[in-house]
Amino acid sequence: MHRALPDVRDGLKPVHRRLLHVMRLLRLDPNSAFKKSAKIVGDVMGGYHPHGDQAIYEAMVRLAQDFSSRYPLVDGQGNFGNIDGDGAAAYRYTEARLTEVARLILEDVEESTVDFRPNYDGTLEEPAVLPGAFPNLLANGSSGIAVGMATSIPPHNVAELCDAALHLIKTPGACVDNLTQFVLGSDFPTGGILIDGSEQIVEAYRTGRGGFRIRARWAKEELSRGGWQIVVTEIPYMVQKSRLIERIAELLNDKKLTLLGDVRDESAEDIRVVLEPKTRNIEPELLMEQLFRQTDLESRIALNMNVLDKGVVPRVRSLREVLVAFIDHRGEVLERRSQHRLEKIATRLEVLD
């Protein structure tokens, strides 16, 4: 349970927290030089996380992929995989350092802002939770399967989350209906269009359970002699582009897509999937409806905000409860930091006396 579910305060699972902690100890700040991933994985495994090196490296790779994480916590150099589903290079070939977002999550960790606990063999100390000056749980989302329970939190826009948190500080009694005026819905790194009605979205945030239907973004492109084609520029979150195109091609061969003539992948850095109609007289909307029905150009992202309360008890929380927990944690961090600084001043005054 504690390995699979994130903490409501910093939005991290133990493996991610240990990765960030080790990278801080190695001084891999956003403006420092990169270091081999093998060194980072080795230090995490040897000192804090006695599990498989592949599991640790895969967790680190996900933190570095800009199509998996809305706000990557790791700045990777080398081959960290792509949206087609190709894997990352082995850890001896890649290098990494922290991003600015990760620096915010770690900010003031050395100023007694959080509790430290012994590591698995009692030789070192690790933070039980990070200070988290960034609403990471909702901003980056999380997913995991524990025994008899699971969590699935899609990513959100951090500016919307900060506006909602500020509103909650000013008016502590604000309900989910008020907060959804700021947090309009999920915001995925791969883009796409959320097609659910506002009532469904509000209900999902109120109960902490539900889901979002997301569609690819497309546009009609005019060709010469009255012809046209459809260009898809954004695909749903967690859909592998190569697998999606293979599936469309299979349906085309099986004569199940009666309105589609051909599919081509013209992507470079940006996604560009070209769909050619069978005849120019077909309505583009009808063609896309057929594709949305039968392929992953429309997919459903589950919402199940099952998180650890104070790092101990799992509970499904509403949007309001998650934001309140984040604000309370930041308040506690602020108090502990101020107390630590006052103690240092008192110690210094005593020395001067």
Side-chain angles (χ1 to χ4, degrees):
M1 185 183 70
H2 289 91
R3 273 198 292 169
L5 303 184
D7 192 302
V8 70
R9 295 168 291 178
D10 61 3
L12 297 170
K13 299 177 189 176
V15 64
H16 303 137
R17 199 174 294 121
R18 288 162 179 165
L19 270 164
L20 296 187
H21 176 59
V22 163
M23 290 175 81
R24 186 185 72 85
L25 294 179
L26 291 171
R27 300 186 189 281
L28 294 176
D29 300 321
N31 50 9
S32 68
F34 289 90
K35 225 176 207 131
K36 280 273 184 224
S37 301
K39 165 73 174 163
I40 298 163
V41 171
D43 284 12
V44 172
M45 185 167 60
Y48 302 97
H49 199 70
H51 301 279
D53 57 338
Q54 278 307 310
I56 296 169
Y57 184 51
E58 277 168 27
M60 185 173 126
V61 165
R62 268 189 65 82
L63 293 183
Q65 290 174 335
D66 59 1
F67 53 88
S68 295
S69 298
R70 180 73 180 80
Y71 301 95
L73 304 184
V74 173
D75 182 8
Q77 184 167 269
N79 174 15
F80 274 84
N82 61 25
I83 200 164
D84 278 334
D86 298 330
Y91 55 50
R92 61 183 178 275
Y93 299 120
T94 61
E95 299 179 327
R97 64 183 177 192
L98 295 169
T99 61
E100 197 57 43
V101 172
R103 192 193 61 73
L104 281 172
I105 293 173
L106 288 159
E107 199 172 57
D108 303 323
V109 71
E110 65 287 328
E111 294 201 67
S112 302
T113 50
V114 290
D115 292 330
F116 275 71
R117 62 180 176 212
N119 71 335
Y120 67 93
D121 63 357
T123 55
L124 298 164
E125 296 232 302
E126 62 173 333
V129 65
L130 293 179
F134 180 83
N136 185 57
L137 179 69
L138 288 169
N140 268 326
S142 187
S143 65
I145 300 168
V147 179
M149 65 185 90
T151 185
S152 175
I153 304 169
H156 292 77
N157 186 305
V158 74
E160 292 177 3
L161 295 174
C162 291
D163 289 344
L166 287 169
H167 179 70
L168 204 49
I169 292 166
K170 286 176 194 153
T171 52
C175 62
V176 172
D177 293 45
N178 301 132
L179 296 175
T180 48
Q181 292 172 7
F182 300 96
V183 182
L184 305 172
S186 291
D187 190 15
F188 300 101
T190 50
I193 301 165
L194 215 60
I195 58 168
D196 289 313
S198 55
E199 297 85 22
Q200 288 168 281
I201 293 173
V202 171
E203 186 56 31
Y205 282 136
R206 189 182 292 118
T207 58
R209 289 183 193 276
F212 301 105
R213 281 191 309 150
I214 185 165
R215 281 185 171 180
R217 190 181 293 275
W218 62 278
K220 180 182 170 186
E221 210 172 70
E222 299 290 347
L223 300 173
S224 59
R225 296 181 189 159
W228 56 272
Q229 61 187 20
I230 285 169
V231 177
V232 175
T233 51
E234 294 174 6
I235 59 173
Y237 185 54
M238 301 308 285
V239 170
Q240 293 179 4
K241 177 165 61 67
S242 59
R243 186 75 201 92
L244 171 72
I245 291 163
E246 275 172 32
R247 175 75 183 141
I248 294 172
E250 279 169 24
L251 291 170
L252 203 55
N253 288 338
D254 296 346
K255 309 260 189 300
K256 288 182 181 171
L257 294 173
T258 51
L259 304 177
L260 187 68
D262 193 17
V263 57
R264 286 196 315 277
D265 185 8
E266 296 182 356
S267 310
E269 286 293 304
D270 300 325
I271 288 174
R272 182 181 163 86
V273 178
V274 177
L275 304 166
E276 287 183 4
K278 211 154 217 167
T279 65
R280 66 178 68 171
N281 305 327
I282 293 166
E283 288 292 320
E285 286 75 17
L286 277 177
L287 170 57
M288 289 311 292
E289 281 299 330
Q290 191 182 51
L291 283 161
F292 287 143
R293 230 181 0 260
Q294 298 191 44
T295 69
D296 281 342
L297 284 172
E298 179 185 312
S299 70
R300 187 175 183 277
I301 309 286
L303 174 76
N304 180 15
M305 294 211 271
N306 190 9
V307 288
L308 293 178
D309 185 10
K310 299 279 185 196
V312 183
V313 186
R315 196 155 66 82
V316 177
R317 289 169 169 255
S318 69
L319 174 68
R320 181 193 144 77
E321 288 175 313
V322 170
L323 285 170
V324 165
F326 170 69
I327 292 165
D328 290 349
H329 176 56
R330 288 302 299 157
E332 190 185 321
V333 164
L334 189 64
E335 281 180 27
R336 289 181 62 154
R337 188 184 68 188
S338 305
Q339 191 57 45
H340 172 78
R341 289 178 179 179
L342 283 170
E343 284 167 10
K344 290 204 98 159
I345 291 166
T347 306
R348 181 72 188 137
L349 286 172
E350 191 180 337
V351 168
L352 289 170
D353 275 354

